[in-house]
Amino acid sequence: MSTPSPSPLDAPLSELDPDLGRLITQEEARQRDKLRLVPSENYAFPAVQEVAGSVLNNKYSEGYAGRRYYEGQQNIDEVERLAIERLKTLFGCEHANVQPYSGSPANLAVYFAFCSPGDTVMGLSLDAGGHLTHGHKVSISGKYFEAVQYGVTRDDHRIDFDQVAALAREHKPKLLWAGITAYPREVDFDRFAEIAREVGSVLVADMSHISGLVAGGAHMSPVGRAEIVTSTTHKTFRGPRGGMILMDKVHKKAIDRAVFPGLQGGPHNATTAGIAIAAKLATRDTFKDYAAAVVTNAKTLAEGLLSAGIDLVTGGTDNHLILCDLTSKDVPGKVAAQALDRAGIVCNYNSVPFDTRKPFDPSGIRLGTPAMTARGMGTAEMTRLAGWIGEVVAAPDDEAQLSRIAGEVKDLCDQFPAPGVPSA
Ligand code: DSN
């Protein structure tokens, strides 16, 4: 019997699609040669990347371990059980759902589990550092529910707990969201829990940005304080692009049903495996050191930026991110972010609290240390980086200076290999 010849459709990417191959090679170079400061980004653990492209992608598994709608789950059930058990051990929760496709679907599942359209919900407004899915008017969370938004104080830009308590007493929301995407201070989940208890709301903590810090002991844990905890798995946690929901057992049935069959079809099994790996690695002392270093680096970068005359929202940071207010520099955030990118420093422009500019052309830039710390950079590198950012903000049109800095950034990056990114 002759061996069947392989289909030309099964050729490797380099032969099959050189255009796409070139784009991936270019993206590898970008992630290798530039300083990545978007606080929601990171370098996934190489082992996570390994499973992301594995044969686990090929399997359909609608349902949950032991209760699937397809046969052939001998291995997938074990993968999902491993991920769940490891998250329970890591975060100390009673149950975990690892099937949400990412953070927004995880949050939507919580709405679906607890609310009917028209119910009142409360969350931190986007311009104060919250997330679209916490009740913003353009999101389904603000369109299908009565969303009440709280903010930060005008004087110190920290969460205004007097306002949270007053609004919660007035509106008695079904869900009270405690979560951030552009808030540089520790979230006081105890205070949120107290308010939620008083008014009978379900407290939902969205720890997407900080789940790695929580796992590594560098931020107060919402588990045990909030009934429900949602998170992405690819930010400070360094797992795959995915989502998870942690909860007490009492909510297991409602949340599991809301995720499947309520919102989603088959789980992405390769992602589930990646979550299992990240949860295992997060128990290591090296990861605790990483989480602590992310915060130390952010504090050092913040001090350097203040020394360079850049105003910071709240005056500094307790976590992995920094929000710079460039109003006094008379440089729009977008202009600064684009100039920084040309200098090899990648961040995003961002609104600052009470911004007088529009969200697509705001007054600030948002910086974070998770990716640089994953490369092994420390406080000396953060101080250099603060100097470069100060130079760029002072002269965003000085192309000669931007090129000089881009060269220096590349030299620095050469000394700190990017995890999971092939060397040049
Ligand atoms: N897009 C994420 C961030 O950058 O913070 C939040 O979903």
Side-chain angles (χ1 to χ4, degrees), residues 56-297:
L56 298 178
N57 266 323
N58 298 340
K59 186 71 193 115
Y60 248 114
S61 314
E62 280 166 339
Y64 290 99
R67 288 178 294 119
R68 305 279 190 188
Y69 289 80
Y70 299 77
E71 291 311 311
Q73 309 294 343
Q74 293 84 351
N75 306 306
I76 300 300
D77 275 3
E78 287 312 298
V79 168
E80 191 165 316
R81 285 193 183 108
L82 257 187
I84 291 171
E85 288 310 313
R86 287 177 182 174
L87 289 176
K88 283 163 63 179
T89 307
L90 178 67
F91 289 109
C93 56
E94 291 180 359
H95 178 58
N97 185 305
V98 291
Q99 296 194 4
Y101 296 144
S102 198
S104 296
N107 290 350
L108 202 50
V110 178
Y111 285 103
F112 199 38
F114 289 99
C115 300
S116 300
D119 280 350
T120 301
V121 298
M122 239 177 92
L124 179 63
S125 69
L126 188 67
D127 56 351
H131 190 253
L132 283 167
T133 56
H134 300 171
H136 192 280
K137 61 180 186 306
V138 301
S139 141
I140 189 169
S141 64
K143 282 191 187 290
Y144 283 26
F145 304 99
E146 272 312 312
V148 177
Q149 301 265 272
Y150 57 86
V152 293
T153 61
R154 272 197 181 268
D155 57 341
D156 68 1
H157 294 164
R158 298 195 183 221
I159 290 172
D160 186 346
F161 278 106
D162 290 340
Q163 187 194 33
V164 178
L167 289 173
R169 283 179 198 128
E170 184 186 343
H171 297 282
K172 306 232 172 344
K174 216 40 162 313
L175 301 181
L176 173 57
W177 287 91
I180 56 106
T181 65
Y183 181 74
R185 295 294 176 177
E186 184 160 58
V187 180
D188 186 348
F189 294 116
D190 273 332
R191 187 80 184 91
F192 275 110
E194 218 173 276
I195 295 169
R197 251 196 321 271
E198 183 194 320
V199 301
S201 303
V202 173
L203 179 62
V204 191
D206 180 344
M207 65 167 182
S208 293
H209 264 256
I210 55 169
S211 51
L213 304 185
V214 169
H219 190 293
M220 175 194 287
S221 175
V223 175
R225 297 179 165 99
E227 282 104 312
I228 306 288
V229 178
T230 63
S231 186
T232 49
T233 51
H234 47 271
K235 296 186 172 92
T236 47
F237 197 53
R238 300 191 60 192
R241 295 298 283 233
M244 59 186 173
I245 307 176
L246 315 180
M247 70 210 85
D248 292 343
K249 265 203 187 119
V250 64
H251 299 304
K252 177 178 187 301
K253 199 165 168 190
I255 291 287
D256 282 357
R257 268 195 187 160
V259 174
F260 175 85
L263 286 176
Q264 299 186 174
H268 295 175
N269 298 314
T271 300
T272 307
I275 294 172
I277 293 169
K280 178 178 171 137
L281 297 183
T283 60
R284 300 218 172 141
D285 286 343
T286 323
F287 189 81
K288 291 186 176 61
D289 296 343
Y290 166 73
V294 166
V295 176
T296 306
N297 279 344

Side-chain angles (χ1 to χ4, degrees), residues 290-303 319 369 379 382:
Y290 166 73
V294 166
V295 176
T296 306
N297 279 344
K299 285 179 185 290
T300 307
L301 179 57
E303 279 161 22
N319 58 22
T369 53
T379 52
M382 297 307 118

